[in-house]
Amino acid sequence: MPDGDHCCVPLCTSDRRSKPTDSVCLFHSFPGSPTTKSGNPRAVSQEEKEVRAKWIAAIRRDEREGEFRVVDCQTCVCSDHFLEDDYVRHEKQTGARLNHSAVPSVFSWSDQWATKRKPPADRTSPPPPKRPREPQSDKAKYNAEKKKVTQLELQLEEAKAELEDLVVECSLEMFSLARFQDCDADVQYYTGFPTMAAFEACADFLQLSEENVISSRSKPLDDDTRRRVRGGGRKSKLSLKEKFFLTMVRLRRGTDFRLLADMYFFDTATASRIVTTMVNYMYLRLGSL
């Protein structure tokens, strides 16, 4: 226990003599004293020297170096400037001891103990409340989903048709009338006509048209067929002149239907139907000659 009667912290009025007897106010001497209470010299560690310097700096007595002198066992700091955690048992009571690294930190000028104003409230107007969305009925949801499915089905059909057209274009680049029309020798080899001009003249004489070819069938046309002939149905992949060329390849070279189907990228039944239809039409146009 130090012999000092008052606290050396500026602006602090704590005094041992004026404190009530029932109040707990402890007075602590500075650490790192070079002598004991009995006046005998003692060894001071570097840690004690550093803590002693921190005490002097914390109580703001280091502004003018040399003017403040610590008198061992006389100069002291009261417990009002320490926290509960600074003590060994984390509480201020008679006979309590400070931790070795404790430094006074509670002062009248400390910012952490000053009363702070609350920040001003935000004066901006709050956003308007969102209107709750009205739940859709089950029927409305069903109709909306059905509409989406219908649109997707239409897009799928269009994509399929576009893909088939691209397949036909690729096949025509491999084997078609357009590929051989500039070479009379190829035209003669596949069709028997000596030149491309002769092939064109025969096609013009036959008056190839969708309506003429369809009407040459022995069976009457149904409504769907008539609608397709007038342009209401889906167009054929091959033109009539291309079908005439396919038929002549079959007649001239005896090409198998399976091979024709592979050459034009459709099934064997389609190849057979095209050849049969064109042969019947050619018989009706050329049979009287």
Side-chain angles (χ1 to χ4, degrees):
M1 179 68 66
D3 297 331
D5 293 329
H6 61 275
C7 180
C8 68
V9 176
L11 304 181
C12 181
T13 59
S14 295
D15 192 287
R16 192 194 306 272
R17 293 166 295 185
S18 62
K19 285 287 185 181
T21 57
D22 57 346
S23 65
V24 179
C25 183
L26 308 178
F27 290 83
H28 305 285
S29 59
F30 280 69
S33 175
T35 59
T36 62
K37 289 185 178 181
S38 59
N40 297 324
R42 59 180 293 271
V44 181
S45 64
Q46 183 64 28
E47 181 182 0
E48 290 179 321
K49 293 180 180 180
E50 293 177 356
V51 175
R52 186 186 185 97
K54 290 180 180 180
W55 277 45
I56 297 175
I59 65 176
R60 295 188 178 182
R61 300 301 294 266
D62 61 341
E63 291 90 349
R64 297 180 182 180
E65 186 176 357
E67 291 189 5
F68 178 71
R69 186 172 64 89
V70 178
V71 178
D72 296 324
C73 298
Q74 295 294 327
T75 309
C76 55
V77 177
C78 71
S79 59
D80 292 342
H81 305 292
F82 292 92
L83 300 173
E84 295 283 348
D85 293 340
D86 292 333
Y87 289 86
V88 175
R89 296 184 179 181
H90 303 291
E91 58 180 351
K92 297 180 182 180
Q93 59 183 357
T94 303
R97 292 185 304 163
L98 289 171
N99 293 318
H100 295 297
S101 59
V103 177
S105 58
V106 182
F107 307 103
S108 59
W109 60 80
S110 298
D111 293 337
Q112 57 179 336
W113 298 99
T115 303
K116 296 183 180 180
R117 277 186 72 183
K118 294 182 179 180
D122 188 6
R123 299 181 182 275
T124 58
S125 57
K130 296 182 179 180
R131 297 181 58 184
R133 297 179 60 183
E134 298 181 358
Q136 291 183 334
S137 62
D138 294 341
K139 185 176 181 180
K141 292 182 179 179
Y142 172 77
N143 293 334
E145 295 297 330
K146 184 178 180 180
K147 185 177 180 180
K148 291 181 181 179
V149 172
T150 303
Q151 293 176 350
L152 292 175
E153 289 178 348
L154 292 176
Q155 294 177 2
L156 179 60
E157 292 298 328
E158 292 176 357
K160 287 182 178 179
E162 184 178 358
L163 179 60
E164 292 179 0
D165 293 340
L166 292 175
V167 171
V168 171
E169 291 179 5
C170 294
S171 65
L172 292 180
E173 292 179 0
M174 298 176 60
F175 187 88
S176 67
L177 178 62
R179 176 181 174 184
F180 307 116
Q181 63 183 356
D182 296 332
C183 182
D184 291 338
D186 290 338
V187 172
Q188 185 178 13
Y189 175 80
Y190 285 110
T191 66
F193 290 99
T195 62
M196 184 63 189
F199 177 85
E200 294 280 0
C202 183
D204 293 340
F205 177 79
L206 290 175
Q207 298 180 355
L208 295 174
S209 67
E210 193 73 26
E211 188 171 1
N212 290 341
V213 174
I214 296 298
S215 61
S216 65
R217 295 181 176 179
S218 57
K219 296 182 180 181
L221 299 177
D222 53 17
D223 294 339
D224 293 338
T225 304
R226 292 183 182 278
R227 191 180 303 110
R228 186 175 67 254
V229 170
R230 295 191 185 98
R234 184 177 176 182
K235 294 183 180 180
S236 175
K237 298 178 183 178
L238 301 181
S239 64
L240 287 174
K241 190 173 291 186
E242 192 69 39
K243 293 179 180 179
F244 178 47
F245 173 73
L246 183 151
T247 303
M248 293 307 301
V249 172
R250 163 70 178 174
L251 298 177
R252 175 66 176 176
R253 309 307 306 176
T255 308
D256 186 76
F257 287 124
R258 174 65 180 274
L259 181 58
L260 287 174
D262 291 340
M263 293 162 61
Y264 281 92
F265 290 87
F266 44 61
D267 54 66
T268 305
T270 302
S272 176
R273 184 170 60 253
I274 291 174
V275 172
T276 301
T277 302
M278 293 302 300
V279 168
N280 290 337
Y281 180 71
M282 290 165 60
Y283 176 77
L284 291 177
R285 295 291 298 171
L286 305 175
S288 60
L289 296 180

